[in-house]
Amino acid sequence: MGFFQLFIDRHLDTETIKGAVRHYFEPDRTIAYFGSKDEMIESWDAGSDTPLDVHVIVRPLSETYPFLMEIWQPGADSIEEERRFALYFSKAADCRSIITDEELNPYSWYCVHPSGTIETIYLTDADMGTEEG
């Protein structure tokens, strides 16, 4: 399965998230939403008559970035698709999305603005929800 993720810079309602995802992936794709990776994997074990095409996990992340969205879909990982999705999602949801910049530095990321501007930013452990308390 192909995978990419976005950190979202503000609280968004469920309908805004689902609407942006639905429009990006087109109406003929089957999309399912989950609150955790474990929940998604359990759904695979349960089976279904309708194979799911796109799996979306939306969960809390940090104070700076309230949501982490993970997208799983058939095919290989694609940095280009991650960027296309982030550009579309940021504009449609009027938010900033943080995506990988492919650098070895784990604190260096791209910030995608609703205007389409992409800039390099540096995050802290707290921003990424990995700070130990």
Side-chain angles (χ1 to χ4, degrees):
M1 282 225 150
F3 166 80
F4 55 88
Q5 67 181 5
L6 296 85
F7 300 172
I8 301 169
D9 79 327
R10 66 184 188 88
H11 287 278
L12 298 173
D13 62 77
T14 303
E15 290 309 310
T16 299
I17 293 170
K18 287 183 174 182
V21 171
R22 164 65 47 218
H23 285 112
Y24 179 81
F25 285 109
E26 302 172 6
D28 61 331
R29 308 263 318 252
T30 305
I31 301 172
Y33 294 87
F34 303 96
S36 71
K37 189 173 180 180
D38 289 340
E39 187 182 314
M40 179 181 73
I41 291 169
E42 285 174 19
S43 78
W44 294 346
D45 293 338
S48 171
D49 291 340
T50 307
L52 297 176
D53 192 14
V54 180
H55 303 77
V56 180
I57 299 171
V58 179
R59 64 177 180 84
L61 181 63
S62 71
E63 189 174 315
T64 308
Y65 300 100
F67 293 115
L68 168 64
M69 182 186 315
E70 298 176 339
I71 308 286
W72 300 76
Q73 63 176 336
D77 291 348
S78 169
I79 297 298
E80 293 78 27
E81 175 131 21
E82 180 179 51
R83 282 199 192 117
R84 279 192 303 271
F85 179 80
L87 284 163
Y88 181 86
F89 186 84
S90 294
K91 183 175 181 178
D94 192 29
C95 67
R96 291 181 306 144
S97 298
I98 309 304
I99 60 172
T100 185
D101 64 0
E102 303 178 77
E103 295 293 325
L104 293 177
N105 180 346
Y107 300 100
S108 172
W109 295 76
Y110 285 142
C111 177
V112 180
H113 294 266
S115 65
T117 302
I118 300 175
E119 67 176 325
T120 298
I121 63 169
Y122 296 90
L123 303 181
T124 65
D125 287 337
D127 294 334
M128 295 184 286
T130 59
E131 183 175 68
E132 298 198 19

